[in-house]
Amino acid sequence: MAAELARSSGMPPANISRMQLAGHLHDVGRASLPSGLVESDALTDEERALLPGYPARSAQMLQLMGGHFVADVVRHHRERWDETGFPDGRERESIHEGARILAVAHAVDEIVSQIGAAQALIMARLRSRAGTDLDPAIVATATTHLPAILSARN
């Protein structure tokens, strides 16, 4: 899905391939977290403090295999448009474009997992997040190309 959204956003072919790799492996650093931590809704303060570090660990693991582009995308995919993300508290265009694309693709996957593939509902949920955690321009691209992005999910 990240590769399809990157293609729809006009990213060069070499970077589309890198986005595909980043999309597949972006959460590899979660393996360093205690079992069940990410799925839990009731986290202690100590457990919550561990979460911001996993994107940086993922990036570190992928640097040699995927290079700087993939590592940067993976490190910053949990940053938010409104600067409340992690691990570095970046905002808006200071977040790598690929990371902003990956964040939207991740959001689509998350929404589909929660509510199914009803495109109108997916679009509404994405639009409600535009300008807070997601880049509004990439959300607009995603909603325009949603059928292609959803077909890449399978």
Side-chain angles (χ1 to χ4, degrees), residues 18-71:
R18 292 179 181 107
M19 287 299 298
Q20 186 169 12
L21 180 63
H24 285 300
L25 299 176
H26 68 279
D27 280 340
V28 70
R30 284 186 179 199
S32 66
L33 296 174
S35 180
L37 179 72
V38 176
E39 291 79 27
S40 177
D41 289 331
L43 299 177
T44 67
D45 289 340
E46 292 156 350
E47 291 170 332
R48 192 172 285 107
L50 296 173
L51 288 176
Y54 91 83
R57 285 188 296 279
S58 295
Q60 197 172 31
M61 291 175 190
L62 295 173
Q63 176 71 42
L64 287 174
M65 181 174 61
H68 182 70
F69 182 95
V70 171

Side-chain angles (χ1 to χ4, degrees), residues 42-131:
L43 299 177
T44 67
D45 289 340
E46 292 156 350
E47 291 170 332
R48 192 172 285 107
L50 296 173
L51 288 176
Y54 91 83
R57 285 188 296 279
S58 295
Q60 197 172 31
M61 291 175 190
L62 295 173
Q63 176 71 42
L64 287 174
M65 181 174 61
H68 182 70
F69 182 95
V70 171
D72 202 28
V73 167
V74 168
R75 179 180 178 92
H76 296 111
H77 80 279
R78 298 295 292 200
E79 300 287 0
R80 291 173 47 112
W81 189 252
D82 64 5
E83 196 184 2
T84 61
F86 56 85
D88 300 320
R90 291 188 177 189
E91 67 174 324
R92 303 183 186 281
E93 287 85 9
S94 71
I95 303 167
H96 190 290
E97 179 188 23
R100 290 181 277 140
I101 289 171
L102 181 56
V104 172
H106 190 270
V108 171
D109 188 52
E110 182 179 83
I111 292 166
V112 171
S113 295
Q114 292 170 353
I115 65 169
Q119 290 187 26
L121 292 174
I122 296 167
M123 287 185 204
R125 292 240 180 132
L126 280 176
R127 287 181 181 131
S128 74
R129 294 171 63 176

Side-chain angles (χ1 to χ4, degrees), residues 113-150:
S113 295
Q114 292 170 353
I115 65 169
Q119 290 187 26
L121 292 174
I122 296 167
M123 287 185 204
R125 292 240 180 132
L126 280 176
R127 287 181 181 131
S128 74
R129 294 171 63 176
T132 55
D133 59 324
L134 302 175
D135 179 333
I138 296 173
V139 167
T141 300
T143 58
T144 300
H145 299 278
L146 191 58
I149 293 165
L150 290 175

